[in-house]
Amino acid sequence: MSKRLSTVLAALALTVAAGCGTSSPPASTAAPAPAPSAPPSGAAFPVKVEHLYGTTEIAKRPERIVTIGLSDHEPVLALGFKPVGVVDWFQRSPFSDWPWAKEKWGGTEPTVLGLREDGVKFEKLVALKPDLIFAMYSGIQKEHYDKLSQIAPVVAQPKGYDPYAAPWQEMTLLAGRALGEEARAKELIIGIANTFAKVRADHPQWKGQTAVAADSFKAGQYSAFQKGDPKSAFLAELGFTIPERITERAGKSNVAEFGSEGLNLLEVDRLVWLTTGKEPWERIRNDSVYKELKVAKQGRDLFLTYQDPPIGAALSFNTVLSIPYAIDQVVPLLEK
């Protein structure tokens, strides 16, 4: 994911640079987008926030926010702001229809700047005239951060973490500081922490059990998500332990990838598959190696979809907005 988006950013870097010198985009390319509705704030601007690439100053309360991180729009929404431009991870239509975010969007549809696989269309970004850009869950490189900073203040990922590995709490706090809503961000974090604590208290048997979140996009190819990945982080907050062998194999990537011969890596107490639907379920279950795993034979595997219901997407986002929905959906399934 990080490599793909970084490649696209590199390919479009010149487009960004060219757009930076344009005082206003041509009328034909200007995409209309409503200004966000934001709650009153007692925060005084300017504010300064630290992130991976230094310190960014936001001179005034932003009104036209663009998010190029795959899930950055969700902490922004949770804090009462509606981004005017976003990146579409799962090609949801309408974009604002996720059950955990629908109410926050209130019928507003942001401009989609690109899909996960294609990256950001920067001519669209420039046309939106943003006054703040979030690039927290994006894997953005320094040279591209510098290019974007010529358009508007940019908030990159929290420092001290590999790309796509910063905890949702850090992402929420960073967004809260940038938006002058740090106190509100802390309240939201505490509320979810209390919910997780109750789940752990209600399920003491999960403590010490191992769990892995996995995926398979084609026959004979599998991915297991290391402990820093949002999906694994969600399972860990329920009380499970993510095996170190997965994280070690993944290295700096968010996933460990292997063929059927490596499926023994998934021999854990609870195995959670996130797939695109029933076809992958049958393909995985029919893998001759997988059939021999105890976790499969004993029915300790759980299959979730990214769509209808979008439980897998909620775990993939693992944001301050999607987590309550994910808890409500996943915990009863694990209880079975």
Side-chain angles (χ1 to χ4, degrees), residues 170-199:
E170 292 295 330
M171 306 279 266
T172 305
L173 277 175
L174 185 54
R177 294 183 185 117
L179 298 172
E181 296 290 345
E182 184 173 6
R184 175 58 178 156
K186 289 179 178 179
E187 289 177 2
L188 294 173
I189 291 169
I190 291 171
I192 292 178
N194 290 339
T195 302
F196 272 125
K198 185 178 187 307
V199 171

Side-chain angles (χ1 to χ4, degrees), residues 202-203 205-206 209 240 269-272 295 298-304 309 311 327-336:
D202 290 343
H203 303 85
Q205 71 276 20
W206 291 350
Q209 288 190 6
F240 295 101
D269 293 307
R270 302 305 297 267
L271 177 57
V272 179
V295 69
Q298 297 174 7
R300 290 183 276 108
D301 50 358
L302 173 63
F303 288 80
L304 304 176
I311 306 174
I327 291 174
D328 288 345
Q329 298 294 317
V330 174
V331 168
L333 296 174
L334 288 173
E335 289 173 339
K336 294 180 180 179

Side-chain angles (χ1 to χ4, degrees):
M1 185 185 303
S2 174
K3 184 176 180 181
R4 281 197 298 266
L5 188 55
S6 296
T7 300
V8 174
L9 283 166
L12 292 173
L14 291 178
T15 304
V16 177
C20 292
T22 305
S23 59
S24 60
S28 60
T29 63
S37 58
S41 172
F45 284 84
V47 298
K48 293 182 180 181
V49 294
E50 293 185 3
H51 50 76
L52 179 64
Y53 295 126
T55 301
T56 293
E57 179 174 315
I58 297 109
K60 61 180 181 179
R61 190 172 181 81
E63 295 183 351
R64 299 189 62 79
I65 299 169
V66 163
T67 61
I68 65 170
L70 297 176
S71 60
D72 290 1
H73 57 282
E74 298 217 337
V76 172
L77 272 175
L79 294 168
F81 295 75
K82 297 179 184 178
V84 296
V86 298
V87 172
D88 189 352
W89 188 347
F90 290 101
Q91 300 186 46
R92 180 84 170 185
S93 182
F95 179 87
S96 61
D97 200 39
W98 293 112
W100 57 86
K102 186 174 183 178
E103 183 178 345
K104 293 292 185 180
W105 282 111
T108 300
E109 280 294 313
T111 295
V112 174
L113 301 172
L115 305 178
R116 183 191 72 173
E117 299 294 338
D118 299 332
V120 176
K121 300 295 186 294
F122 280 98
E123 67 278 6
K124 286 188 175 183
L125 186 152
V126 174
L128 288 176
K129 300 181 180 179
D131 53 14
L132 181 59
I133 300 171
F134 281 99
M136 299 186 295
Y137 194 64
S138 70
I140 190 172
Q141 300 298 304
K142 179 62 163 60
E143 61 184 297
H144 309 125
Y145 166 82
D146 291 340
K147 298 282 187 182
L148 283 174
S149 295
Q150 297 177 53
I151 299 172
V154 181
V155 178
Q157 74 177 60
K159 60 183 179 180
Y161 300 95
D162 290 333
Y164 303 105
W168 67 270
Q169 296 94 328
E170 292 295 330
M171 306 279 266
T172 305
L173 277 175
L174 185 54
R177 294 183 185 117
L179 298 172
E181 296 290 345
E182 184 173 6
R184 175 58 178 156
K186 289 179 178 179
E187 289 177 2
L188 294 173
I189 291 169
I190 291 171
I192 292 178
N194 290 339
T195 302
F196 272 125
K198 185 178 187 307
V199 171
R200 292 192 297 270
D202 290 343
H203 303 85
Q205 71 276 20
W206 291 350
K207 183 178 181 180
Q209 288 190 6
T210 54
V212 167
D215 200 349
S216 175
F217 290 102
K218 61 172 62 175
Q221 294 187 13
Y222 300 94
S223 300
F225 298 93
Q226 58 114 312
K227 64 182 180 182
D229 182 85
K231 294 171 282 296
S232 293
F234 175 84
L235 294 175
E237 291 198 86
L238 293 181
F240 295 101
T241 298
I242 312 305
E244 283 298 325
R245 64 180 181 271
I246 301 295
T247 301
E248 290 172 1
R249 179 151 181 162
K252 290 191 175 182
S253 173
N254 66 317
V255 296
E257 297 181 328
F258 46 89
S260 296
E261 73 285 352
L263 278 169
N264 62 311
L265 285 169
L266 304 183
E267 195 67 274
V268 289
D269 293 307
R270 302 305 297 267
L271 177 57
V272 179
W273 289 98
L274 299 99
T275 71
T276 54
K278 292 184 178 180
E279 187 278 326
W281 297 0
E282 296 304 317
R283 172 167 49 76
I284 293 166
R285 285 170 171 155
N286 288 328
D287 187 298
S288 60
V289 178
Y290 185 72
K291 286 181 179 180
E292 297 304 312
L293 297 182
K294 292 180 181 179
V295 69
K297 287 182 175 180
Q298 297 174 7
R300 290 183 276 108
D301 50 358
L302 173 63
F303 288 80
L304 304 176
T305 63
Y306 288 111
Q307 303 271 8
D308 304 320
I311 306 174
L315 266 69
S316 296
F317 279 119
N318 199 47
T319 67
V320 67
L321 266 189
S322 72
I323 288 171
Y325 172 88
I327 291 174
D328 288 345
Q329 298 294 317
V330 174
V331 168
L333 296 174
L334 288 173
E335 289 173 339
K336 294 180 180 179

